[in-house]
Amino acid sequence: MTNNEIPHRFFQFDRWLGAAPVGSGNINDTFRIDFERNGVQETWLLQRLNHLVFKDPDAVMRNTVAVCEHLSERDFPYKIAMPQKALDGQYLQHDEQGNCWRVFPFFENTFAPEGVADAHVAYEGARAYGAFARALRDFPPERLSETIPGFHDTDRRWQVFLGVLEKNPVNRAEVSTPEIEAMFAAKPIFERISQLKRSGALPLRVTHNDTKAGNVLLDPALRKAVAVIDLDTVMPGTLLSDFGDMVRTFVPTGREDEPEPVSLRLDILDALQHGFLEETADFLLPAEKENLPLGAVWIAGEQALRFLTDWLAGDVYYKIRWPEHNLARARNQLALFKELRRVEV
Ligand code: GN1
Ligand code: MG
């Protein structure tokens, strides 16, 4: 962000104080912006929505607003990241490069527990994600657009993987044989999930679909959850994947792109289960409860598949910070998958 032209479309302010990147998203670009209005300093969050990933940005905003409104009408004891309308009444603003921008409230004095969660923080995070699912259990899922079609359709992702593997567009298949073999070994878990989905045992619910440790904000002094953020992928789905993404990001010893080995912190797994079920146990079906651990194995495997596919495709989806970043991510998630599979059932 080099100027304040876009912020000016959202706010009439007197003095611009600056913009600074925040967060660690792999898709969108997020900035904290500061300005002065009527002698008072204000801070907001300005975000560039990646329209190559989210092909229908208006649908993303419609989903987000509908979900935020619903949360605000329910007993949801957290702050709500409701998008802010620009001065022309629209939620999205487009720049000359075709990018779209939106603004959210900035939650002062909070942290995202990426790589730093102890059992209490994990419990708090899982409770917040559980409360989110709880507050949305009476929201008809079919009212939401699929902002990324087939997001957790692992069969479809498998076909994409096979296609990229065959085309081998950047000649990386040769140097990735162990990872490709490990990916094929994960196939039985994907088949179990597909079967479970086909059986109809898993109800379609409103799910967050990015319940990672980085998307729940906590107060550092009180160590209490403050907000669930990043609603771009809220869609109809199964809660197994929301539980899975929590386990994937809270439980391992390192972050998702650190070199393996990955080891599991089982006290954190307990804390997540406890926190999530505290909010959801009374409405989850037995098939959902029984399969939460399978959900964790599935999502670690699916994430490995997504990273490996992007590595083989030539880094076309996730932002990378070094040349082999996607390969490192894939290796890490494959190692995590293996560990989770060992402890599951
Ligand atoms: C992406 O950009 P971010 O960090 O919110 C991705 C998630 C992945 C995650 C892995 C739209 O999320 O699905 O789990 O990276 N979001 C999208 O860190 O693909
Ligand atoms: Mg996200």
PDB file of all heavy atoms in Angstrom, residues 136-166:
ATOM      1  N   LEU A 136     -24.299 -20.509  14.891  1.00  0.00           N
ATOM      2  CA  LEU A 136     -24.733 -20.593  13.489  1.00  0.00           C
ATOM      3  C   LEU A 136     -25.511 -21.872  13.192  1.00  0.00           C
ATOM      4  O   LEU A 136     -25.832 -22.145  12.037  1.00  0.00           O
ATOM      5  CB  LEU A 136     -23.513 -20.483  12.567  1.00  0.00           C
ATOM      6  CG  LEU A 136     -22.903 -19.073  12.540  1.00  0.00           C
ATOM      7  CD1 LEU A 136     -21.485 -19.104  12.002  1.00  0.00           C
ATOM      8  CD2 LEU A 136     -23.767 -18.121  11.711  1.00  0.00           C
ATOM      9  N   ARG A 137     -25.828 -22.640  14.233  1.00  0.00           N
ATOM     10  CA  ARG A 137     -26.467 -23.931  13.953  1.00  0.00           C
ATOM     11  C   ARG A 137     -27.888 -23.769  13.436  1.00  0.00           C
ATOM     12  O   ARG A 137     -28.435 -24.687  12.832  1.00  0.00           O
ATOM     13  CB  ARG A 137     -26.410 -24.861  15.168  1.00  0.00           C
ATOM     14  CG  ARG A 137     -27.333 -24.511  16.309  1.00  0.00           C
ATOM     15  CD  ARG A 137     -26.945 -25.321  17.538  1.00  0.00           C
ATOM     16  NE  ARG A 137     -27.893 -25.195  18.636  1.00  0.00           N
ATOM     17  CZ  ARG A 137     -28.012 -24.125  19.423  1.00  0.00           C
ATOM     18  NH1 ARG A 137     -27.271 -23.058  19.205  1.00  0.00           N
ATOM     19  NH2 ARG A 137     -28.888 -24.106  20.406  1.00  0.00           N
ATOM     20  N   ASP A 138     -28.481 -22.589  13.633  1.00  0.00           N
ATOM     21  CA  ASP A 138     -29.816 -22.370  13.063  1.00  0.00           C
ATOM     22  C   ASP A 138     -29.767 -21.451  11.834  1.00  0.00           C
ATOM     23  O   ASP A 138     -30.781 -20.910  11.416  1.00  0.00           O
ATOM     24  CB  ASP A 138     -30.775 -21.808  14.124  1.00  0.00           C
ATOM     25  CG  ASP A 138     -30.344 -20.448  14.637  1.00  0.00           C
ATOM     26  OD1 ASP A 138     -29.148 -20.093  14.514  1.00  0.00           O
ATOM     27  OD2 ASP A 138     -31.209 -19.715  15.161  1.00  0.00           O
ATOM     28  N   PHE A 139     -28.585 -21.270  11.265  1.00  0.00           N
ATOM     29  CA  PHE A 139     -28.466 -20.493  10.014  1.00  0.00           C
ATOM     30  C   PHE A 139     -28.553 -21.496   8.856  1.00  0.00           C
ATOM     31  O   PHE A 139     -27.736 -22.420   8.781  1.00  0.00           O
ATOM     32  CB  PHE A 139     -27.124 -19.760   9.993  1.00  0.00           C
ATOM     33  CG  PHE A 139     -26.946 -18.821   8.829  1.00  0.00           C
ATOM     34  CD1 PHE A 139     -26.997 -17.453   9.014  1.00  0.00           C
ATOM     35  CD2 PHE A 139     -26.728 -19.305   7.540  1.00  0.00           C
ATOM     36  CE1 PHE A 139     -26.829 -16.573   7.944  1.00  0.00           C
ATOM     37  CE2 PHE A 139     -26.564 -18.447   6.460  1.00  0.00           C
ATOM     38  CZ  PHE A 139     -26.621 -17.071   6.663  1.00  0.00           C
ATOM     39  N   PRO A 140     -29.516 -21.348   7.948  1.00  0.00           N
ATOM     40  CA  PRO A 140     -29.640 -22.347   6.871  1.00  0.00           C
ATOM     41  C   PRO A 140     -28.400 -22.337   5.963  1.00  0.00           C
ATOM     42  O   PRO A 140     -28.147 -21.328   5.289  1.00  0.00           O
ATOM     43  CB  PRO A 140     -30.869 -21.883   6.090  1.00  0.00           C
ATOM     44  CG  PRO A 140     -31.520 -20.831   6.933  1.00  0.00           C
ATOM     45  CD  PRO A 140     -30.516 -20.285   7.874  1.00  0.00           C
ATOM     46  N   PRO A 141     -27.628 -23.434   5.933  1.00  0.00           N
ATOM     47  CA  PRO A 141     -26.381 -23.452   5.159  1.00  0.00           C
ATOM     48  C   PRO A 141     -26.584 -23.098   3.683  1.00  0.00           C
ATOM     49  O   PRO A 141     -25.725 -22.477   3.064  1.00  0.00           O
ATOM     50  CB  PRO A 141     -25.876 -24.894   5.291  1.00  0.00           C
ATOM     51  CG  PRO A 141     -26.685 -25.534   6.352  1.00  0.00           C
ATOM     52  CD  PRO A 141     -27.896 -24.705   6.609  1.00  0.00           C
ATOM     53  N   GLU A 142     -27.746 -23.466   3.142  1.00  0.00           N
ATOM     54  CA  GLU A 142     -27.963 -23.233   1.704  1.00  0.00           C
ATOM     55  C   GLU A 142     -28.091 -21.750   1.372  1.00  0.00           C
ATOM     56  O   GLU A 142     -28.039 -21.364   0.207  1.00  0.00           O
ATOM     57  CB  GLU A 142     -29.164 -24.044   1.189  1.00  0.00           C
ATOM     58  CG  GLU A 142     -30.521 -23.719   1.794  1.00  0.00           C
ATOM     59  CD  GLU A 142     -30.757 -24.351   3.180  1.00  0.00           C
ATOM     60  OE1 GLU A 142     -29.858 -25.056   3.699  1.00  0.00           O
ATOM     61  OE2 GLU A 142     -31.842 -24.106   3.746  1.00  0.00           O
ATOM     62  N   ARG A 143     -28.209 -20.909   2.385  1.00  0.00           N
ATOM     63  CA  ARG A 143     -28.237 -19.452   2.122  1.00  0.00           C
ATOM     64  C   ARG A 143     -26.847 -18.901   1.811  1.00  0.00           C
ATOM     65  O   ARG A 143     -26.691 -17.762   1.382  1.00  0.00           O
ATOM     66  CB  ARG A 143     -28.807 -18.726   3.344  1.00  0.00           C
ATOM     67  CG  ARG A 143     -30.312 -18.489   3.251  1.00  0.00           C
ATOM     68  CD  ARG A 143     -30.813 -17.607   4.383  1.00  0.00           C
ATOM     69  NE  ARG A 143     -30.091 -16.354   4.514  1.00  0.00           N
ATOM     70  CZ  ARG A 143     -30.014 -15.648   5.637  1.00  0.00           C
ATOM     71  NH1 ARG A 143     -30.602 -16.081   6.734  1.00  0.00           N
ATOM     72  NH2 ARG A 143     -29.349 -14.509   5.672  1.00  0.00           N
ATOM     73  N   LEU A 144     -25.815 -19.704   2.081  1.00  0.00           N
ATOM     74  CA  LEU A 144     -24.440 -19.241   1.842  1.00  0.00           C
ATOM     75  C   LEU A 144     -23.943 -19.676   0.473  1.00  0.00           C
ATOM     76  O   LEU A 144     -24.230 -20.788   0.027  1.00  0.00           O
ATOM     77  CB  LEU A 144     -23.507 -19.815   2.908  1.00  0.00           C
ATOM     78  CG  LEU A 144     -23.738 -19.322   4.333  1.00  0.00           C
ATOM     79  CD1 LEU A 144     -22.818 -20.078   5.289  1.00  0.00           C
ATOM     80  CD2 LEU A 144     -23.506 -17.817   4.447  1.00  0.00           C
ATOM     81  N   SER A 145     -23.166 -18.800  -0.166  1.00  0.00           N
ATOM     82  CA  SER A 145     -22.523 -19.182  -1.427  1.00  0.00           C
ATOM     83  C   SER A 145     -21.296 -20.014  -1.104  1.00  0.00           C
ATOM     84  O   SER A 145     -20.669 -19.824  -0.068  1.00  0.00           O
ATOM     85  CB  SER A 145     -22.041 -17.959  -2.182  1.00  0.00           C
ATOM     86  OG  SER A 145     -23.091 -17.090  -2.413  1.00  0.00           O
ATOM     87  N   GLU A 146     -20.927 -20.879  -2.039  1.00  0.00           N
ATOM     88  CA  GLU A 146     -19.666 -21.600  -1.919  1.00  0.00           C
ATOM     89  C   GLU A 146     -18.581 -20.666  -2.447  1.00  0.00           C
ATOM     90  O   GLU A 146     -18.405 -20.548  -3.663  1.00  0.00           O
ATOM     91  CB  GLU A 146     -19.721 -22.862  -2.782  1.00  0.00           C
ATOM     92  CG  GLU A 146     -20.030 -24.118  -2.013  1.00  0.00           C
ATOM     93  CD  GLU A 146     -19.628 -25.353  -2.820  1.00  0.00           C
ATOM     94  OE1 GLU A 146     -20.387 -25.680  -3.738  1.00  0.00           O
ATOM     95  OE2 GLU A 146     -18.586 -25.954  -2.532  1.00  0.00           O
ATOM     96  N   THR A 147     -17.880 -19.991  -1.573  1.00  0.00           N
ATOM     97  CA  THR A 147     -16.931 -18.965  -2.042  1.00  0.00           C
ATOM     98  C   THR A 147     -15.746 -19.589  -2.783  1.00  0.00           C
ATOM     99  O   THR A 147     -15.148 -18.958  -3.643  1.00  0.00           O
ATOM    100  CB  THR A 147     -16.440 -18.084  -0.883  1.00  0.00           C
ATOM    101  OG1 THR A 147     -15.906 -18.930   0.141  1.00  0.00           O
ATOM    102  CG2 THR A 147     -17.564 -17.233  -0.323  1.00  0.00           C
ATOM    103  N   ILE A 148     -15.401 -20.837  -2.425  1.00  0.00           N
ATOM    104  CA  ILE A 148     -14.444 -21.609  -3.227  1.00  0.00           C
ATOM    105  C   ILE A 148     -15.095 -22.975  -3.448  1.00  0.00           C
ATOM    106  O   ILE A 148     -15.157 -23.791  -2.531  1.00  0.00           O
ATOM    107  CB  ILE A 148     -13.078 -21.749  -2.524  1.00  0.00           C
ATOM    108  CG1 ILE A 148     -12.470 -20.355  -2.290  1.00  0.00           C
ATOM    109  CG2 ILE A 148     -12.131 -22.618  -3.362  1.00  0.00           C
ATOM    110  CD1 ILE A 148     -11.101 -20.355  -1.662  1.00  0.00           C
ATOM    111  N   PRO A 149     -15.615 -23.198  -4.651  1.00  0.00           N
ATOM    112  CA  PRO A 149     -16.342 -24.455  -4.883  1.00  0.00           C
ATOM    113  C   PRO A 149     -15.457 -25.680  -4.619  1.00  0.00           C
ATOM    114  O   PRO A 149     -14.278 -25.691  -4.992  1.00  0.00           O
ATOM    115  CB  PRO A 149     -16.755 -24.359  -6.356  1.00  0.00           C
ATOM    116  CG  PRO A 149     -16.740 -22.888  -6.662  1.00  0.00           C
ATOM    117  CD  PRO A 149     -15.645 -22.308  -5.812  1.00  0.00           C
ATOM    118  N   GLY A 150     -16.040 -26.657  -3.945  1.00  0.00           N
ATOM    119  CA  GLY A 150     -15.321 -27.905  -3.678  1.00  0.00           C
ATOM    120  C   GLY A 150     -14.144 -27.736  -2.717  1.00  0.00           C
ATOM    121  O   GLY A 150     -13.172 -28.478  -2.790  1.00  0.00           O
ATOM    122  N   PHE A 151     -14.239 -26.766  -1.808  1.00  0.00           N
ATOM    123  CA  PHE A 151     -13.102 -26.443  -0.944  1.00  0.00           C
ATOM    124  C   PHE A 151     -12.587 -27.661  -0.172  1.00  0.00           C
ATOM    125  O   PHE A 151     -11.396 -27.899  -0.085  1.00  0.00           O
ATOM    126  CB  PHE A 151     -13.505 -25.330   0.030  1.00  0.00           C
ATOM    127  CG  PHE A 151     -12.336 -24.700   0.732  1.00  0.00           C
ATOM    128  CD1 PHE A 151     -11.331 -24.074   0.001  1.00  0.00           C
ATOM    129  CD2 PHE A 151     -12.230 -24.728   2.115  1.00  0.00           C
ATOM    130  CE1 PHE A 151     -10.244 -23.477   0.637  1.00  0.00           C
ATOM    131  CE2 PHE A 151     -11.150 -24.132   2.757  1.00  0.00           C
ATOM    132  CZ  PHE A 151     -10.157 -23.517   2.015  1.00  0.00           C
ATOM    133  N   HIS A 152     -13.493 -28.423   0.410  1.00  0.00           N
ATOM    134  CA  HIS A 152     -13.078 -29.637   1.138  1.00  0.00           C
ATOM    135  C   HIS A 152     -13.529 -30.903   0.422  1.00  0.00           C
ATOM    136  O   HIS A 152     -13.778 -31.925   1.052  1.00  0.00           O
ATOM    137  CB  HIS A 152     -13.597 -29.608   2.577  1.00  0.00           C
ATOM    138  CG  HIS A 152     -12.772 -28.746   3.478  1.00  0.00           C
ATOM    139  ND1 HIS A 152     -11.402 -28.839   3.544  1.00  0.00           N
ATOM    140  CD2 HIS A 152     -13.130 -27.772   4.346  1.00  0.00           C
ATOM    141  CE1 HIS A 152     -10.938 -27.945   4.418  1.00  0.00           C
ATOM    142  NE2 HIS A 152     -11.963 -27.283   4.911  1.00  0.00           N
ATOM    143  N   ASP A 153     -13.654 -30.806  -0.900  1.00  0.00           N
ATOM    144  CA  ASP A 153     -13.953 -31.994  -1.693  1.00  0.00           C
ATOM    145  C   ASP A 153     -12.603 -32.644  -2.026  1.00  0.00           C
ATOM    146  O   ASP A 153     -11.958 -32.320  -3.028  1.00  0.00           O
ATOM    147  CB  ASP A 153     -14.701 -31.577  -2.972  1.00  0.00           C
ATOM    148  CG  ASP A 153     -15.067 -32.771  -3.837  1.00  0.00           C
ATOM    149  OD1 ASP A 153     -14.494 -33.863  -3.624  1.00  0.00           O
ATOM    150  OD2 ASP A 153     -15.915 -32.606  -4.737  1.00  0.00           O
ATOM    151  N   THR A 154     -12.170 -33.546  -1.151  1.00  0.00           N
ATOM    152  CA  THR A 154     -10.812 -34.093  -1.296  1.00  0.00           C
ATOM    153  C   THR A 154     -10.685 -34.946  -2.552  1.00  0.00           C
ATOM    154  O   THR A 154      -9.608 -35.001  -3.153  1.00  0.00           O
ATOM    155  CB  THR A 154     -10.426 -34.899  -0.039  1.00  0.00           C
ATOM    156  OG1 THR A 154     -10.903 -34.181   1.109  1.00  0.00           O
ATOM    157  CG2 THR A 154      -8.931 -35.064   0.088  1.00  0.00           C
ATOM    158  N   ASP A 155     -11.786 -35.586  -2.968  1.00  0.00           N
ATOM    159  CA  ASP A 155     -11.729 -36.387  -4.210  1.00  0.00           C
ATOM    160  C   ASP A 155     -11.375 -35.492  -5.391  1.00  0.00           C
ATOM    161  O   ASP A 155     -10.560 -35.850  -6.243  1.00  0.00           O
ATOM    162  CB  ASP A 155     -13.078 -37.069  -4.491  1.00  0.00           C
ATOM    163  CG  ASP A 155     -13.397 -38.122  -3.441  1.00  0.00           C
ATOM    164  OD1 ASP A 155     -12.452 -38.573  -2.750  1.00  0.00           O
ATOM    165  OD2 ASP A 155     -14.582 -38.471  -3.293  1.00  0.00           O
ATOM    166  N   ARG A 156     -12.020 -34.330  -5.402  1.00  0.00           N
ATOM    167  CA  ARG A 156     -11.752 -33.382  -6.478  1.00  0.00           C
ATOM    168  C   ARG A 156     -10.307 -32.876  -6.395  1.00  0.00           C
ATOM    169  O   ARG A 156      -9.620 -32.754  -7.406  1.00  0.00           O
ATOM    170  CB  ARG A 156     -12.747 -32.235  -6.319  1.00  0.00           C
ATOM    171  CG  ARG A 156     -12.721 -31.224  -7.399  1.00  0.00           C
ATOM    172  CD  ARG A 156     -14.067 -30.513  -7.383  1.00  0.00           C
ATOM    173  NE  ARG A 156     -13.953 -29.138  -7.862  1.00  0.00           N
ATOM    174  CZ  ARG A 156     -14.984 -28.305  -7.918  1.00  0.00           C
ATOM    175  NH1 ARG A 156     -16.172 -28.692  -7.497  1.00  0.00           N
ATOM    176  NH2 ARG A 156     -14.832 -27.086  -8.371  1.00  0.00           N
ATOM    177  N   ARG A 157      -9.851 -32.591  -5.182  1.00  0.00           N
ATOM    178  CA  ARG A 157      -8.456 -32.133  -5.014  1.00  0.00           C
ATOM    179  C   ARG A 157      -7.481 -33.237  -5.440  1.00  0.00           C
ATOM    180  O   ARG A 157      -6.406 -32.949  -5.948  1.00  0.00           O
ATOM    181  CB  ARG A 157      -8.205 -31.711  -3.564  1.00  0.00           C
ATOM    182  CG  ARG A 157      -8.931 -30.423  -3.178  1.00  0.00           C
ATOM    183  CD  ARG A 157      -8.374 -29.849  -1.891  1.00  0.00           C
ATOM    184  NE  ARG A 157      -9.053 -28.630  -1.486  1.00  0.00           N
ATOM    185  CZ  ARG A 157      -8.751 -27.417  -1.922  1.00  0.00           C
ATOM    186  NH1 ARG A 157      -7.775 -27.255  -2.810  1.00  0.00           N
ATOM    187  NH2 ARG A 157      -9.405 -26.360  -1.479  1.00  0.00           N
ATOM    188  N   TRP A 158      -7.880 -34.485  -5.211  1.00  0.00           N
ATOM    189  CA  TRP A 158      -7.033 -35.611  -5.620  1.00  0.00           C
ATOM    190  C   TRP A 158      -6.895 -35.644  -7.148  1.00  0.00           C
ATOM    191  O   TRP A 158      -5.803 -35.845  -7.678  1.00  0.00           O
ATOM    192  CB  TRP A 158      -7.608 -36.933  -5.083  1.00  0.00           C
ATOM    193  CG  TRP A 158      -6.696 -38.091  -5.324  1.00  0.00           C
ATOM    194  CD1 TRP A 158      -6.756 -38.985  -6.357  1.00  0.00           C
ATOM    195  CD2 TRP A 158      -5.545 -38.444  -4.551  1.00  0.00           C
ATOM    196  NE1 TRP A 158      -5.719 -39.876  -6.267  1.00  0.00           N
ATOM    197  CE2 TRP A 158      -4.966 -39.576  -5.172  1.00  0.00           C
ATOM    198  CE3 TRP A 158      -4.949 -37.919  -3.383  1.00  0.00           C
ATOM    199  CZ2 TRP A 158      -3.814 -40.193  -4.671  1.00  0.00           C
ATOM    200  CZ3 TRP A 158      -3.810 -38.539  -2.890  1.00  0.00           C
ATOM    201  CH2 TRP A 158      -3.250 -39.655  -3.528  1.00  0.00           C
ATOM    202  N   GLN A 159      -8.000 -35.401  -7.828  1.00  0.00           N
ATOM    203  CA  GLN A 159      -7.964 -35.387  -9.306  1.00  0.00           C
ATOM    204  C   GLN A 159      -7.062 -34.260  -9.811  1.00  0.00           C
ATOM    205  O   GLN A 159      -6.300 -34.450 -10.763  1.00  0.00           O
ATOM    206  CB  GLN A 159      -9.382 -35.222  -9.892  1.00  0.00           C
ATOM    207  CG  GLN A 159     -10.303 -36.424  -9.693  1.00  0.00           C
ATOM    208  CD  GLN A 159      -9.677 -37.743 -10.118  1.00  0.00           C
ATOM    209  OE1 GLN A 159      -9.041 -37.828 -11.172  1.00  0.00           O
ATOM    210  NE2 GLN A 159      -9.823 -38.783  -9.299  1.00  0.00           N
ATOM    211  N   VAL A 160      -7.152 -33.113  -9.164  1.00  0.00           N
ATOM    212  CA  VAL A 160      -6.290 -31.982  -9.549  1.00  0.00           C
ATOM    213  C   VAL A 160      -4.825 -32.359  -9.341  1.00  0.00           C
ATOM    214  O   VAL A 160      -3.957 -32.119 -10.198  1.00  0.00           O
ATOM    215  CB  VAL A 160      -6.657 -30.708  -8.737  1.00  0.00           C
ATOM    216  CG1 VAL A 160      -5.670 -29.572  -9.020  1.00  0.00           C
ATOM    217  CG2 VAL A 160      -8.084 -30.256  -9.059  1.00  0.00           C
ATOM    218  N   PHE A 161      -4.542 -32.991  -8.219  1.00  0.00           N
ATOM    219  CA  PHE A 161      -3.173 -33.458  -7.909  1.00  0.00           C
ATOM    220  C   PHE A 161      -2.672 -34.401  -9.006  1.00  0.00           C
ATOM    221  O   PHE A 161      -1.566 -34.232  -9.543  1.00  0.00           O
ATOM    222  CB  PHE A 161      -3.195 -34.126  -6.532  1.00  0.00           C
ATOM    223  CG  PHE A 161      -1.988 -34.954  -6.190  1.00  0.00           C
ATOM    224  CD1 PHE A 161      -0.729 -34.370  -6.042  1.00  0.00           C
ATOM    225  CD2 PHE A 161      -2.103 -36.331  -5.981  1.00  0.00           C
ATOM    226  CE1 PHE A 161       0.390 -35.139  -5.710  1.00  0.00           C
ATOM    227  CE2 PHE A 161      -0.995 -37.103  -5.653  1.00  0.00           C
ATOM    228  CZ  PHE A 161       0.249 -36.503  -5.523  1.00  0.00           C
ATOM    229  N   LEU A 162      -3.512 -35.379  -9.382  1.00  0.00           N
ATOM    230  CA  LEU A 162      -3.096 -36.339 -10.422  1.00  0.00           C
ATOM    231  C   LEU A 162      -2.830 -35.634 -11.748  1.00  0.00           C
ATOM    232  O   LEU A 162      -1.856 -35.945 -12.441  1.00  0.00           O
ATOM    233  CB  LEU A 162      -4.179 -37.416 -10.624  1.00  0.00           C
ATOM    234  CG  LEU A 162      -4.415 -38.387  -9.463  1.00  0.00           C
ATOM    235  CD1 LEU A 162      -5.463 -39.428  -9.866  1.00  0.00           C
ATOM    236  CD2 LEU A 162      -3.134 -39.072  -9.001  1.00  0.00           C
ATOM    237  N   GLY A 163      -3.665 -34.656 -12.060  1.00  0.00           N
ATOM    238  CA  GLY A 163      -3.501 -33.903 -13.306  1.00  0.00           C
ATOM    239  C   GLY A 163      -2.174 -33.149 -13.325  1.00  0.00           C
ATOM    240  O   GLY A 163      -1.439 -33.180 -14.323  1.00  0.00           O
ATOM    241  N   VAL A 164      -1.859 -32.491 -12.216  1.00  0.00           N
ATOM    242  CA  VAL A 164      -0.616 -31.713 -12.131  1.00  0.00           C
ATOM    243  C   VAL A 164       0.589 -32.661 -12.176  1.00  0.00           C
ATOM    244  O   VAL A 164       1.597 -32.388 -12.839  1.00  0.00           O
ATOM    245  CB  VAL A 164      -0.605 -30.853 -10.837  1.00  0.00           C
ATOM    246  CG1 VAL A 164       0.754 -30.218 -10.618  1.00  0.00           C
ATOM    247  CG2 VAL A 164      -1.673 -29.776 -10.905  1.00  0.00           C
ATOM    248  N   LEU A 165       0.444 -33.777 -11.500  1.00  0.00           N
ATOM    249  CA  LEU A 165       1.520 -34.775 -11.469  1.00  0.00           C
ATOM    250  C   LEU A 165       1.822 -35.255 -12.885  1.00  0.00           C
ATOM    251  O   LEU A 165       2.982 -35.392 -13.287  1.00  0.00           O
ATOM    252  CB  LEU A 165       1.050 -35.944 -10.593  1.00  0.00           C
ATOM    253  CG  LEU A 165       2.072 -36.957 -10.131  1.00  0.00           C
ATOM    254  CD1 LEU A 165       3.219 -36.266  -9.409  1.00  0.00           C
ATOM    255  CD2 LEU A 165       1.399 -37.976  -9.192  1.00  0.00           C
ATOM    256  N   GLU A 166       0.776 -35.490 -13.653  1.00  0.00           N
ATOM    257  CA  GLU A 166       0.976 -35.984 -15.011  1.00  0.00           C
ATOM    258  C   GLU A 166       1.597 -34.921 -15.916  1.00  0.00           C
ATOM    259  O   GLU A 166       2.534 -35.186 -16.660  1.00  0.00           O
ATOM    260  CB  GLU A 166      -0.364 -36.446 -15.587  1.00  0.00           C
ATOM    261  CG  GLU A 166      -0.165 -37.237 -16.858  1.00  0.00           C
ATOM    262  CD  GLU A 166      -1.478 -37.725 -17.407  1.00  0.00           C
ATOM    263  OE1 GLU A 166      -1.964 -38.757 -16.927  1.00  0.00           O
ATOM    264  OE2 GLU A 166      -2.018 -37.046 -18.296  1.00  0.00           O
TER     265      GLU A 166
END
